[in-house]
Amino acid sequence: TGDELELSYVLQRATIELDGPPEFERLRPLIGASGANDPLGYLNGLIGQAGYFHETFSPEGSAGRAFFTPENAARIDAIRNCISGWERQGLIAGAEPFYLLASLLDASDRVANTAGTYYAHLKDFTRKSILPLKLTAPQTTQAGKGSECFRMDARQLVARTSVDILYLDPPYNGRDYARYYHLPETLVSGVSPVATGKSGAPEFDRNRSDFYRPSRATEALSELCKTANARHIVVHYTTDGIISHDNVLGMLQERGETRFDDFGVRAYSATQSGAARQAQHRVYWCDVSGGGR
């Protein structure tokens, strides 16, 4: 698997690359002395610390952003600081910090006072957002051994990979996921950027992906499809995406026989009034001539 966002990479390392919880051999003597049975139990028992997330994303902070209750924001700070400390001390390494961070990502998202993305918070705290934050074990992949996860541009990854089935799910529009999911991205990165505006999004200094740019997205996907060394190429897109149907179909037909089908799905909406709106997703399947390059 591959993705440029660090939050996606963390989740993939924890749930796809692993086929079970890590051993935490160096950490267990420490947490055992405190009476905890496992690292997640130890982290759940930590007392909240008012830090970056409490100041930046709770109503008790100077900006008054209500993404989390003050109690949950302080718990996030305490848990994130503890994981960072364990990593600095060499008590966790390899997949272990990814496993813990994936659990924190999931737990914080479950109590986030949002309608889905992190570009805005709700005015009043919802029933789910006032629940206490609790870490649970990430669900790993049973056949995870041999799986590899990368954080890099899809074109670079595909150019160096040989596979039976290549599944591509490029962005459908110009909304940069790094901005819409800035808060969990900051959470896993371990940095404390200067927050701006109502959303608290930091000033991004990274280059925006070509796949979000209407002027470059078609060329980027075409380059990816041309260099793919795969027996089959599957593209999941939408009927109203920034790359036209004719262009997607044409670039795949250059590689082999291609068919497609449409599926009606519920469209994403941040409001109840838009919850019933439908969207059309389109899945293309290309049987690459000659089984690859």
Side-chain angles (χ1 to χ4, degrees), residues 154-169:
R155 289 167 293 185
Q156 298 174 5
L157 179 57
V158 165
R160 55 185 264 187
T161 308
S162 178
V163 296
D164 287 331
I165 299 175
L166 174 64
Y167 175 78
L168 304 173
D169 187 14

Side-chain angles (χ1 to χ4, degrees), residues 177-199:
Y177 291 172
R179 291 188 178 277
Y180 278 77
Y181 295 92
H182 65 90
L183 196 156
E185 185 77 353
T186 294
L187 179 60
V188 298
S189 69
V191 299
S192 303
V194 176
T196 62
K198 293 183 178 180
S199 71

Side-chain angles (χ1 to χ4, degrees), residues 56-116:
T56 309
F57 298 113
S58 89
E60 288 188 356
S62 56
R65 301 184 187 99
F67 282 93
F68 299 105
T69 64
E71 295 78 14
N72 280 335
R75 295 276 320 288
I76 291 171
D77 278 318
I79 293 169
R80 185 64 182 94
N81 291 339
C82 185
I83 295 173
S84 296
W86 286 344
E87 197 167 12
R88 285 194 302 269
Q89 297 170 56
L91 294 171
I92 55 175
E96 293 169 346
F98 293 99
Y99 183 85
L100 299 178
L101 287 173
S103 178
L104 180 55
L105 269 175
D106 178 65
S108 60
D109 189 63
R110 289 178 186 273
V111 297
N113 190 37
T114 66

Side-chain angles (χ1 to χ4, degrees), residues 5 11 27 33 37 50 63 66 71 99 111 126 146 170-171 190 211 217 270 278 280 292:
L5 282 185
L11 291 171
L27 184 62
N37 294 323
E71 295 78 14
Y99 183 85
V111 297
T126 61
F211 290 97
Q278 291 288 302
Q280 288 295 317

Side-chain angles (χ1 to χ4, degrees), residues 168-273:
L168 304 173
D169 187 14
Y172 308 146
N173 52 43
R175 301 188 187 119
D176 191 337
Y177 291 172
R179 291 188 178 277
Y180 278 77
Y181 295 92
H182 65 90
L183 196 156
E185 185 77 353
T186 294
L187 179 60
V188 298
S189 69
V191 299
S192 303
V194 176
T196 62
K198 293 183 178 180
S199 71
E203 291 293 337
F204 287 90
D205 57 2
R206 75 182 187 92
N207 293 325
R208 196 159 175 260
S209 170
D210 288 343
F211 290 97
Y212 294 111
R213 300 174 182 267
S215 61
R216 299 183 184 178
T218 300
E219 181 181 353
L221 184 60
S222 177
E223 177 187 344
L224 200 159
C225 291
K226 285 178 181 178
T227 59
N229 188 9
R231 295 176 59 196
H232 310 278
I233 302 174
V234 180
V235 178
H236 177 198
Y237 208 55
T238 184
T239 55
D240 57 354
I242 56 179
I243 305 175
S244 73
H245 166 69
D246 290 341
N247 280 331
V248 177
L249 186 61
M251 64 183 71
L252 290 173
Q253 286 177 332
E254 289 182 3
R255 297 301 311 275
E257 182 179 348
T258 302
R259 55 194 184 277
F260 63 90
D261 205 350
D262 293 346
F263 301 87
V265 299
R266 190 177 70 177
Y268 168 77
S269 176
T271 63
Q272 288 187 339
S273 60

